[in-house]
Amino acid sequence: MSPSPDGPSPGGPSPDLPAPRLLDAGETALVAEFGDEVDPVLSDRVLALDAAVTARALPGVRESVPTYRSLMIHYDPLVIDRATLAAEVTALAQAAPAQGRRGALWTIPCCYDPAFGEDIATIAETTGLTPEQVVALHSGARYRLYMYGFAPGFCYLGGLPEAFAKVSRRLKPRPPHPPNVVMMAGGLASIATVSMPTGWFLIGRTPERMFSLTRTPTVLLEVGDDLMFEPIDRATFDALEARAAAGEVVARREAGR
């Protein structure tokens, strides 16, 4: 299939932006890879390309899925061939701005009660911090939602303080945890939306539903949004949990963003 009549995205390649590495994922997906790190600069390029691909609306492109460092583009090879798509993606990546959209800032309530943050003592022992310092550091950081994956609405977050770098994955997965737990491991933070076994360390639980099939949108945050955790006590958690279970959004989105 030949390129569309109006050609690749306007603006032309930028000499300052290297072209992404293009990899095939089977016969119906193309991956544009920008690097090999969890880095906001790489994430900005991924999200900028994601927005450009969406706006381009190429016939045959079915879906684009952003990750920390790459964008997977699902396509129908009977509608658009690989070579045409690769040329379009390369041009879009080099013409797109180096930064993605300006994400929203969310405040997510989190209860660090021992019943929910059952691994806080282990994290404190591993890092040499007190349990109170663990909670203060975790709740004082600003995180970025880099991607969803693994399970519906499972949030992968960057921005975990360096003091937690020694907290690696468990050698053996723990039994299933409740939904909506807040976790850390391997230099990353996360919010798990469904009950499952895990190798992550549990630090707290939010009453918010980051994923809900009864709500539009089903996932509360967009990839590229920032968030902070607000410590709440158990009584506040129980009250917010009841409101969230009734369908109310209990997280706060910063106005004007």
Side-chain angles (χ1 to χ4, degrees), residues 38 66-68 106-109 138 143-160 169 177-185 187-196 198 200-201 203-204 206 208-212 215 217-229 251:
V38 180
T67 73
Y68 290 110
W106 292 83
T107 299
I108 308 295
H138 184 268
Y143 302 87
R144 180 186 181 113
L145 174 56
Y146 277 93
M147 61 178 284
Y148 287 108
F150 184 68
F154 191 104
C155 305
Y156 285 90
L157 310 174
L160 191 70
R169 295 289 185 96
H177 55 66
N180 309 313
V181 295
V182 179
M183 309 184 294
M184 70 167 70
L188 300 171
S190 64
I191 306 174
T193 51
V194 296
S195 178
M196 68 182 82
T198 184
W200 297 63
F201 286 81
I203 190 170
T206 177
E208 185 55 86
R209 271 60 172 164
M210 308 302 287
F211 172 81
S212 174
R215 182 187 62 211
T218 53
V219 290
L220 185 61
L221 276 63
E222 293 187 44
V223 173
D225 283 353
D226 289 344
L227 65 93
M228 300 184 71
F229 292 105

